mmCIF file with all atom_site columns, all heavy atoms in Angstrom:
data_model
loop_
_atom_site.group_PDB
_atom_site.id
_atom_site.type_symbol
_atom_site.label_atom_id
_atom_site.label_alt_id
_atom_site.label_comp_id
_atom_site.label_asym_id
_atom_site.label_entity_id
_atom_site.label_seq_id
_atom_site.pdbx_PDB_ins_code
_atom_site.Cartn_x
_atom_site.Cartn_y
_atom_site.Cartn_z
_atom_site.occupancy
_atom_site.B_iso_or_equiv
_atom_site.pdbx_formal_charge
_atom_site.auth_seq_id
_atom_site.auth_comp_id
_atom_site.auth_asym_id
_atom_site.auth_atom_id
_atom_site.pdbx_PDB_model_num
ATOM 1   N N   . HIS A 1 115 ? 16.913 20.124 -19.305 1.00 0.00 ? 143 HIS A N   1
ATOM 2   C CA  . HIS A 1 115 ? 18.377 20.154 -19.333 1.00 0.00 ? 143 HIS A CA  1
ATOM 3   C C   . HIS A 1 115 ? 18.880 20.502 -20.728 1.00 0.00 ? 143 HIS A C   1
ATOM 4   O O   . HIS A 1 115 ? 19.812 21.309 -20.885 1.00 0.00 ? 143 HIS A O   1
ATOM 5   C CB  . HIS A 1 115 ? 18.929 18.797 -18.895 1.00 0.00 ? 143 HIS A CB  1
ATOM 6   C CG  . HIS A 1 115 ? 20.419 18.706 -18.957 1.00 0.00 ? 143 HIS A CG  1
ATOM 7   N ND1 . HIS A 1 115 ? 21.079 17.994 -19.933 1.00 0.00 ? 143 HIS A ND1 1
ATOM 8   C CD2 . HIS A 1 115 ? 21.385 19.254 -18.174 1.00 0.00 ? 143 HIS A CD2 1
ATOM 9   C CE1 . HIS A 1 115 ? 22.385 18.105 -19.744 1.00 0.00 ? 143 HIS A CE1 1
ATOM 10  N NE2 . HIS A 1 115 ? 22.600 18.853 -18.692 1.00 0.00 ? 143 HIS A NE2 1
ATOM 11  N N   . ASN A 1 116 ? 18.281 19.915 -21.755 1.00 0.00 ? 144 ASN A N   1
ATOM 12  C CA  . ASN A 1 116 ? 18.688 20.227 -23.128 1.00 0.00 ? 144 ASN A CA  1
ATOM 13  C C   . ASN A 1 116 ? 18.479 21.702 -23.452 1.00 0.00 ? 144 ASN A C   1
ATOM 14  O O   . ASN A 1 116 ? 19.292 22.319 -24.155 1.00 0.00 ? 144 ASN A O   1
ATOM 15  C CB  . ASN A 1 116 ? 17.906 19.355 -24.114 1.00 0.00 ? 144 ASN A CB  1
ATOM 16  C CG  . ASN A 1 116 ? 18.317 17.898 -24.057 1.00 0.00 ? 144 ASN A CG  1
ATOM 17  O OD1 . ASN A 1 116 ? 19.433 17.577 -23.656 1.00 0.00 ? 144 ASN A OD1 1
ATOM 18  N ND2 . ASN A 1 116 ? 17.416 17.004 -24.444 1.00 0.00 ? 144 ASN A ND2 1
ATOM 19  N N   . VAL A 1 117 ? 17.394 22.265 -22.934 1.00 0.00 ? 145 VAL A N   1
ATOM 20  C CA  . VAL A 1 117 ? 17.132 23.691 -23.149 1.00 0.00 ? 145 VAL A CA  1
ATOM 21  C C   . VAL A 1 117 ? 18.207 24.543 -22.483 1.00 0.00 ? 145 VAL A C   1
ATOM 22  O O   . VAL A 1 117 ? 18.713 25.508 -23.069 1.00 0.00 ? 145 VAL A O   1
ATOM 23  C CB  . VAL A 1 117 ? 15.730 24.074 -22.626 1.00 0.00 ? 145 VAL A CB  1
ATOM 24  C CG1 . VAL A 1 117 ? 15.589 25.589 -22.497 1.00 0.00 ? 145 VAL A CG1 1
ATOM 25  C CG2 . VAL A 1 117 ? 14.658 23.537 -23.561 1.00 0.00 ? 145 VAL A CG2 1
ATOM 26  N N   . THR A 1 118 ? 18.574 24.200 -21.248 1.00 0.00 ? 146 THR A N   1
ATOM 27  C CA  . THR A 1 118 ? 19.600 24.995 -20.560 1.00 0.00 ? 146 THR A CA  1
ATOM 28  C C   . THR A 1 118 ? 20.924 24.949 -21.313 1.00 0.00 ? 146 THR A C   1
ATOM 29  O O   . THR A 1 118 ? 21.642 25.951 -21.382 1.00 0.00 ? 146 THR A O   1
ATOM 30  C CB  . THR A 1 118 ? 19.822 24.508 -19.112 1.00 0.00 ? 146 THR A CB  1
ATOM 31  O OG1 . THR A 1 118 ? 20.358 23.181 -19.108 1.00 0.00 ? 146 THR A OG1 1
ATOM 32  C CG2 . THR A 1 118 ? 18.529 24.542 -18.317 1.00 0.00 ? 146 THR A CG2 1
ATOM 33  N N   . LEU A 1 119 ? 21.244 23.798 -21.895 1.00 0.00 ? 147 LEU A N   1
ATOM 34  C CA  . LEU A 1 119 ? 22.503 23.682 -22.641 1.00 0.00 ? 147 LEU A CA  1
ATOM 35  C C   . LEU A 1 119 ? 22.507 24.577 -23.871 1.00 0.00 ? 147 LEU A C   1
ATOM 36  O O   . LEU A 1 119 ? 23.477 25.305 -24.126 1.00 0.00 ? 147 LEU A O   1
ATOM 37  C CB  . LEU A 1 119 ? 22.735 22.223 -23.057 1.00 0.00 ? 147 LEU A CB  1
ATOM 38  C CG  . LEU A 1 119 ? 23.013 21.210 -21.949 1.00 0.00 ? 147 LEU A CG  1
ATOM 39  C CD1 . LEU A 1 119 ? 23.211 19.820 -22.545 1.00 0.00 ? 147 LEU A CD1 1
ATOM 40  C CD2 . LEU A 1 119 ? 24.236 21.608 -21.130 1.00 0.00 ? 147 LEU A CD2 1
ATOM 41  N N   . VAL A 1 120 ? 21.433 24.529 -24.642 1.00 0.00 ? 148 VAL A N   1
ATOM 42  C CA  . VAL A 1 120 ? 21.415 25.300 -25.885 1.00 0.00 ? 148 VAL A CA  1
ATOM 43  C C   . VAL A 1 120 ? 21.324 26.799 -25.594 1.00 0.00 ? 148 VAL A C   1
ATOM 44  O O   . VAL A 1 120 ? 21.910 27.622 -26.317 1.00 0.00 ? 148 VAL A O   1
ATOM 45  C CB  . VAL A 1 120 ? 20.269 24.830 -26.814 1.00 0.00 ? 148 VAL A CB  1
ATOM 46  C CG1 . VAL A 1 120 ? 18.913 25.262 -26.302 1.00 0.00 ? 148 VAL A CG1 1
ATOM 47  C CG2 . VAL A 1 120 ? 20.484 25.335 -28.240 1.00 0.00 ? 148 VAL A CG2 1
ATOM 48  N N   . LEU A 1 121 ? 20.635 27.180 -24.522 1.00 0.00 ? 149 LEU A N   1
ATOM 49  C CA  . LEU A 1 121 ? 20.576 28.601 -24.172 1.00 0.00 ? 149 LEU A CA  1
ATOM 50  C C   . LEU A 1 121 ? 21.929 29.115 -23.695 1.00 0.00 ? 149 LEU A C   1
ATOM 51  O O   . LEU A 1 121 ? 22.295 30.266 -23.955 1.00 0.00 ? 149 LEU A O   1
ATOM 52  C CB  . LEU A 1 121 ? 19.508 28.844 -23.105 1.00 0.00 ? 149 LEU A CB  1
ATOM 53  C CG  . LEU A 1 121 ? 18.053 28.716 -23.567 1.00 0.00 ? 149 LEU A CG  1
ATOM 54  C CD1 . LEU A 1 121 ? 17.098 28.982 -22.413 1.00 0.00 ? 149 LEU A CD1 1
ATOM 55  C CD2 . LEU A 1 121 ? 17.755 29.669 -24.730 1.00 0.00 ? 149 LEU A CD2 1
ATOM 56  N N   . ARG A 1 122 ? 22.688 28.265 -23.015 1.00 0.00 ? 150 ARG A N   1
ATOM 57  C CA  . ARG A 1 122 ? 24.041 28.669 -22.616 1.00 0.00 ? 150 ARG A CA  1
ATOM 58  C C   . ARG A 1 122 ? 24.929 28.839 -23.846 1.00 0.00 ? 150 ARG A C   1
ATOM 59  O O   . ARG A 1 122 ? 25.729 29.774 -23.928 1.00 0.00 ? 150 ARG A O   1
ATOM 60  C CB  . ARG A 1 122 ? 24.646 27.642 -21.652 1.00 0.00 ? 150 ARG A CB  1
ATOM 61  C CG  . ARG A 1 122 ? 24.054 27.677 -20.260 1.00 0.00 ? 150 ARG A CG  1
ATOM 62  C CD  . ARG A 1 122 ? 25.028 27.155 -19.207 1.00 0.00 ? 150 ARG A CD  1
ATOM 63  N NE  . ARG A 1 122 ? 25.435 25.783 -19.439 1.00 0.00 ? 150 ARG A NE  1
ATOM 64  C CZ  . ARG A 1 122 ? 24.806 24.723 -18.949 1.00 0.00 ? 150 ARG A CZ  1
ATOM 65  N NH1 . ARG A 1 122 ? 23.702 24.881 -18.234 1.00 0.00 ? 150 ARG A NH1 1
ATOM 66  N NH2 . ARG A 1 122 ? 25.258 23.509 -19.171 1.00 0.00 ? 150 ARG A NH2 1
ATOM 67  N N   . ASP A 1 123 ? 24.795 27.921 -24.803 1.00 0.00 ? 151 ASP A N   1
ATOM 68  C CA  . ASP A 1 123 ? 25.564 28.048 -26.047 1.00 0.00 ? 151 ASP A CA  1
ATOM 69  C C   . ASP A 1 123 ? 25.218 29.348 -26.766 1.00 0.00 ? 151 ASP A C   1
ATOM 70  O O   . ASP A 1 123 ? 26.105 30.062 -27.254 1.00 0.00 ? 151 ASP A O   1
ATOM 71  C CB  . ASP A 1 123 ? 25.272 26.866 -26.978 1.00 0.00 ? 151 ASP A CB  1
ATOM 72  C CG  . ASP A 1 123 ? 25.914 25.575 -26.498 1.00 0.00 ? 151 ASP A CG  1
ATOM 73  O OD1 . ASP A 1 123 ? 26.797 25.645 -25.622 1.00 0.00 ? 151 ASP A OD1 1
ATOM 74  O OD2 . ASP A 1 123 ? 25.527 24.497 -26.992 1.00 0.00 ? 151 ASP A OD2 1
ATOM 75  N N   . LEU A 1 124 ? 23.928 29.644 -26.829 1.00 0.00 ? 152 LEU A N   1
ATOM 76  C CA  . LEU A 1 124 ? 23.487 30.853 -27.516 1.00 0.00 ? 152 LEU A CA  1
ATOM 77  C C   . LEU A 1 124 ? 23.990 32.104 -26.800 1.00 0.00 ? 152 LEU A C   1
ATOM 78  O O   . LEU A 1 124 ? 24.469 33.051 -27.444 1.00 0.00 ? 152 LEU A O   1
ATOM 79  C CB  . LEU A 1 124 ? 21.956 30.871 -27.604 1.00 0.00 ? 152 LEU A CB  1
ATOM 80  C CG  . LEU A 1 124 ? 21.334 32.045 -28.355 1.00 0.00 ? 152 LEU A CG  1
ATOM 81  C CD1 . LEU A 1 124 ? 21.852 32.121 -29.783 1.00 0.00 ? 152 LEU A CD1 1
ATOM 82  C CD2 . LEU A 1 124 ? 19.806 31.924 -28.346 1.00 0.00 ? 152 LEU A CD2 1
ATOM 83  N N   . ALA A 1 125 ? 23.909 32.112 -25.479 1.00 0.00 ? 153 ALA A N   1
ATOM 84  C CA  . ALA A 1 125 ? 24.388 33.265 -24.711 1.00 0.00 ? 153 ALA A CA  1
ATOM 85  C C   . ALA A 1 125 ? 25.885 33.469 -24.921 1.00 0.00 ? 153 ALA A C   1
ATOM 86  O O   . ALA A 1 125 ? 26.366 34.606 -25.035 1.00 0.00 ? 153 ALA A O   1
ATOM 87  C CB  . ALA A 1 125 ? 24.080 33.065 -23.228 1.00 0.00 ? 153 ALA A CB  1
ATOM 88  N N   . HIS A 1 126 ? 26.624 32.362 -24.994 1.00 0.00 ? 154 HIS A N   1
ATOM 89  C CA  . HIS A 1 126 ? 28.074 32.463 -25.214 1.00 0.00 ? 154 HIS A CA  1
ATOM 90  C C   . HIS A 1 126 ? 28.377 33.045 -26.591 1.00 0.00 ? 154 HIS A C   1
ATOM 91  O O   . HIS A 1 126 ? 29.218 33.953 -26.726 1.00 0.00 ? 154 HIS A O   1
ATOM 92  C CB  . HIS A 1 126 ? 28.711 31.081 -25.081 1.00 0.00 ? 154 HIS A CB  1
ATOM 93  C CG  . HIS A 1 126 ? 30.165 31.050 -25.455 1.00 0.00 ? 154 HIS A CG  1
ATOM 94  N ND1 . HIS A 1 126 ? 31.141 31.681 -24.709 1.00 0.00 ? 154 HIS A ND1 1
ATOM 95  C CD2 . HIS A 1 126 ? 30.805 30.479 -26.519 1.00 0.00 ? 154 HIS A CD2 1
ATOM 96  C CE1 . HIS A 1 126 ? 32.321 31.502 -25.283 1.00 0.00 ? 154 HIS A CE1 1
ATOM 97  N NE2 . HIS A 1 126 ? 32.140 30.778 -26.378 1.00 0.00 ? 154 HIS A NE2 1
ATOM 98  N N   . LEU A 1 127 ? 27.694 32.561 -27.616 1.00 0.00 ? 155 LEU A N   1
ATOM 99  C CA  . LEU A 1 127 ? 27.931 33.065 -28.969 1.00 0.00 ? 155 LEU A CA  1
ATOM 100 C C   . LEU A 1 127 ? 27.587 34.548 -29.071 1.00 0.00 ? 155 LEU A C   1
ATOM 101 O O   . LEU A 1 127 ? 28.310 35.326 -29.700 1.00 0.00 ? 155 LEU A O   1
ATOM 102 C CB  . LEU A 1 127 ? 27.101 32.263 -29.976 1.00 0.00 ? 155 LEU A CB  1
ATOM 103 C CG  . LEU A 1 127 ? 27.564 30.832 -30.247 1.00 0.00 ? 155 LEU A CG  1
ATOM 104 C CD1 . LEU A 1 127 ? 26.557 30.102 -31.127 1.00 0.00 ? 155 LEU A CD1 1
ATOM 105 C CD2 . LEU A 1 127 ? 28.943 30.819 -30.907 1.00 0.00 ? 155 LEU A CD2 1
ATOM 106 N N   . GLN A 1 128 ? 26.492 34.926 -28.443 1.00 0.00 ? 156 GLN A N   1
ATOM 107 C CA  . GLN A 1 128 ? 26.087 36.330 -28.499 1.00 0.00 ? 156 GLN A CA  1
ATOM 108 C C   . GLN A 1 128 ? 27.058 37.224 -27.737 1.00 0.00 ? 156 GLN A C   1
ATOM 109 O O   . GLN A 1 128 ? 27.286 38.370 -28.117 1.00 0.00 ? 156 GLN A O   1
ATOM 110 C CB  . GLN A 1 128 ? 24.669 36.474 -27.948 1.00 0.00 ? 156 GLN A CB  1
ATOM 111 C CG  . GLN A 1 128 ? 23.612 35.855 -28.857 1.00 0.00 ? 156 GLN A CG  1
ATOM 112 C CD  . GLN A 1 128 ? 22.234 35.826 -28.230 1.00 0.00 ? 156 GLN A CD  1
ATOM 113 O OE1 . GLN A 1 128 ? 22.097 35.872 -27.001 1.00 0.00 ? 156 GLN A OE1 1
ATOM 114 N NE2 . GLN A 1 128 ? 21.204 35.730 -29.051 1.00 0.00 ? 156 GLN A NE2 1
ATOM 115 N N   . SER A 1 129 ? 27.658 36.683 -26.675 1.00 0.00 ? 157 SER A N   1
ATOM 116 C CA  . SER A 1 129 ? 28.579 37.492 -25.871 1.00 0.00 ? 157 SER A CA  1
ATOM 117 C C   . SER A 1 129 ? 29.886 37.772 -26.600 1.00 0.00 ? 157 SER A C   1
ATOM 118 O O   . SER A 1 129 ? 30.548 38.771 -26.329 1.00 0.00 ? 157 SER A O   1
ATOM 119 C CB  . SER A 1 129 ? 28.863 36.792 -24.540 1.00 0.00 ? 157 SER A CB  1
ATOM 120 O OG  . SER A 1 129 ? 29.667 35.642 -24.741 1.00 0.00 ? 157 SER A OG  1
ATOM 121 N N   . ILE A 1 130 ? 30.268 36.881 -27.521 1.00 0.00 ? 158 ILE A N   1
ATOM 122 C CA  . ILE A 1 130 ? 31.543 37.074 -28.226 1.00 0.00 ? 158 ILE A CA  1
ATOM 123 C C   . ILE A 1 130 ? 31.352 37.611 -29.639 1.00 0.00 ? 158 ILE A C   1
ATOM 124 O O   . ILE A 1 130 ? 32.323 37.830 -30.360 1.00 0.00 ? 158 ILE A O   1
ATOM 125 C CB  . ILE A 1 130 ? 32.346 35.757 -28.299 1.00 0.00 ? 158 ILE A CB  1
ATOM 126 C CG1 . ILE A 1 130 ? 31.613 34.711 -29.131 1.00 0.00 ? 158 ILE A CG1 1
ATOM 127 C CG2 . ILE A 1 130 ? 32.652 35.239 -26.904 1.00 0.00 ? 158 ILE A CG2 1
ATOM 128 C CD1 . ILE A 1 130 ? 32.408 33.425 -29.341 1.00 0.00 ? 158 ILE A CD1 1
ATOM 129 N N   . GLN A 1 131 ? 30.104 37.844 -30.022 1.00 0.00 ? 159 GLN A N   1
ATOM 130 C CA  . GLN A 1 131 ? 29.833 38.247 -31.399 1.00 0.00 ? 159 GLN A CA  1
ATOM 131 C C   . GLN A 1 131 ? 30.525 39.558 -31.762 1.00 0.00 ? 159 GLN A C   1
ATOM 132 O O   . GLN A 1 131 ? 30.961 39.753 -32.888 1.00 0.00 ? 159 GLN A O   1
ATOM 133 C CB  . GLN A 1 131 ? 28.327 38.370 -31.629 1.00 0.00 ? 159 GLN A CB  1
ATOM 134 C CG  . GLN A 1 131 ? 27.946 38.354 -33.098 1.00 0.00 ? 159 GLN A CG  1
ATOM 135 C CD  . GLN A 1 131 ? 26.490 37.993 -33.299 1.00 0.00 ? 159 GLN A CD  1
ATOM 136 O OE1 . GLN A 1 131 ? 25.681 38.102 -32.382 1.00 0.00 ? 159 GLN A OE1 1
ATOM 137 N NE2 . GLN A 1 131 ? 26.136 37.561 -34.488 1.00 0.00 ? 159 GLN A NE2 1
ATOM 138 N N   . ASN A 1 132 ? 30.639 40.450 -30.789 1.00 0.00 ? 160 ASN A N   1
ATOM 139 C CA  . ASN A 1 132 ? 31.260 41.745 -31.056 1.00 0.00 ? 160 ASN A CA  1
ATOM 140 C C   . ASN A 1 132 ? 32.638 41.874 -30.412 1.00 0.00 ? 160 ASN A C   1
ATOM 141 O O   . ASN A 1 132 ? 33.147 42.975 -30.241 1.00 0.00 ? 160 ASN A O   1
ATOM 142 C CB  . ASN A 1 132 ? 30.357 42.874 -30.547 1.00 0.00 ? 160 ASN A CB  1
ATOM 143 C CG  . ASN A 1 132 ? 29.035 42.900 -31.279 1.00 0.00 ? 160 ASN A CG  1
ATOM 144 O OD1 . ASN A 1 132 ? 28.985 42.704 -32.493 1.00 0.00 ? 160 ASN A OD1 1
ATOM 145 N ND2 . ASN A 1 132 ? 27.955 43.131 -30.538 1.00 0.00 ? 160 ASN A ND2 1
ATOM 146 N N   . ASP A 1 133 ? 33.212 40.742 -30.061 1.00 0.00 ? 161 ASP A N   1
ATOM 147 C CA  . ASP A 1 133 ? 34.526 40.739 -29.418 1.00 0.00 ? 161 ASP A CA  1
ATOM 148 C C   . ASP A 1 133 ? 35.602 40.648 -30.492 1.00 0.00 ? 161 ASP A C   1
ATOM 149 O O   . ASP A 1 133 ? 35.738 39.648 -31.180 1.00 0.00 ? 161 ASP A O   1
ATOM 150 C CB  . ASP A 1 133 ? 34.632 39.550 -28.461 1.00 0.00 ? 161 ASP A CB  1
ATOM 151 C CG  . ASP A 1 133 ? 35.890 39.619 -27.605 1.00 0.00 ? 161 ASP A CG  1
ATOM 152 O OD1 . ASP A 1 133 ? 36.823 40.345 -27.987 1.00 0.00 ? 161 ASP A OD1 1
ATOM 153 O OD2 . ASP A 1 133 ? 35.929 38.944 -26.562 1.00 0.00 ? 161 ASP A OD2 1
ATOM 154 N N   . ASP A 1 134 ? 36.386 41.710 -30.628 1.00 0.00 ? 162 ASP A N   1
ATOM 155 C CA  . ASP A 1 134 ? 37.418 41.744 -31.673 1.00 0.00 ? 162 ASP A CA  1
ATOM 156 C C   . ASP A 1 134 ? 38.503 40.704 -31.450 1.00 0.00 ? 162 ASP A C   1
ATOM 157 O O   . ASP A 1 134 ? 39.226 40.340 -32.373 1.00 0.00 ? 162 ASP A O   1
ATOM 158 C CB  . ASP A 1 134 ? 38.063 43.138 -31.735 1.00 0.00 ? 162 ASP A CB  1
ATOM 159 C CG  . ASP A 1 134 ? 37.074 44.189 -32.201 1.00 0.00 ? 162 ASP A CG  1
ATOM 160 O OD1 . ASP A 1 134 ? 36.116 43.810 -32.895 1.00 0.00 ? 162 ASP A OD1 1
ATOM 161 O OD2 . ASP A 1 134 ? 37.265 45.371 -31.860 1.00 0.00 ? 162 ASP A OD2 1
#
Side-chain angles (χ1 to χ4, degrees):
H143 177 254
N144 290 335
V145 165
T146 65
L147 292 180
V148 73
L149 289 180
R150 287 206 300 270
D151 287 345
L152 183 58
H154 173 68
L155 288 173
Q156 291 172 337
S157 71
I158 64 175
Q159 198 160 20
N160 297 320
D161 189 341
D162 294 335

